[in-house]
Amino acid sequence: QVQLAESGGGSVQPGGSLRLSCVVSGVGPVYMGWFRQGPGKEREGIASISPNAARTRYSDSVKGRFTISRDSSTNAVYLQMNSLKPDDTAMYYCAGGVSGLSLVIGDFQFWGQGTQVTVSS
């Protein structure tokens, strides 16, 4: 059974940083992505990484501020978020898939339950 468990969310002031973690079990190295869904918004893909970590992809909304990485020894994926803005407030989900380095929801087959990030002064 494939399981993805996110952690690391919380409340932070604008300009602050958070690091999200996602521990994956039940599946070997696959493409991993981070998605988010803000209040009243559709879920959007923001970052993805290849199975060997050689390639990454970011949405324009987070490029230059967020960094996705993974640790093959622990089968974990991370999202380092810097220079956070109120617009980054959302539920953040990690997801796994086999379709490629994508930011498209339909390309990911495995999903975690999400972790809440709130950016507010």
Side-chain angles (χ1 to χ4, degrees):
Q1 181 180 0
V2 179
Q3 291 186 324
L4 286 73
E6 303 97 333
S7 62
S11 296
V12 63
Q13 292 186 342
S17 298
L18 281 175
R19 188 192 193 209
L20 305 183
S21 300
C22 173
V23 177
V24 184
S25 61
V27 67
V30 295
Y31 291 90
M32 295 297 299
W34 284 97
F35 293 75
R36 68 183 182 185
Q37 187 166 14
K41 299 179 181 180
E42 295 185 352
R43 191 173 299 191
E44 63 168 336
I46 57 173
S48 61
I49 189 167
S50 60
N52 64 0
R55 295 181 296 145
T56 58
R57 182 174 181 178
Y58 298 94
S59 68
D60 289 342
S61 60
V62 306
K63 193 176 298 181
R65 300 188 297 124
F66 292 8
T67 303
I68 189 171
S69 61
R70 66 193 301 164
D71 183 342
S72 60
S73 66
T74 58
N75 212 15
V77 182
Y78 306 99
L79 186 69
Q80 177 67 44
M81 305 187 294
N82 299 328
S83 302
L84 283 161
K85 307 173 183 179
D87 280 349
D88 295 319
T89 294
M91 185 70 79
Y92 283 71
Y93 301 88
C94 72
V98 298
S99 298
L101 196 66
S102 171
L103 298 179
V104 176
I105 293 173
D107 287 338
F108 291 83
Q109 294 76 45
F110 316 113
W111 290 84
Q113 295 299 308
T115 185
Q116 177 69 37
V117 172
T118 302
V119 184
S120 173
S121 56

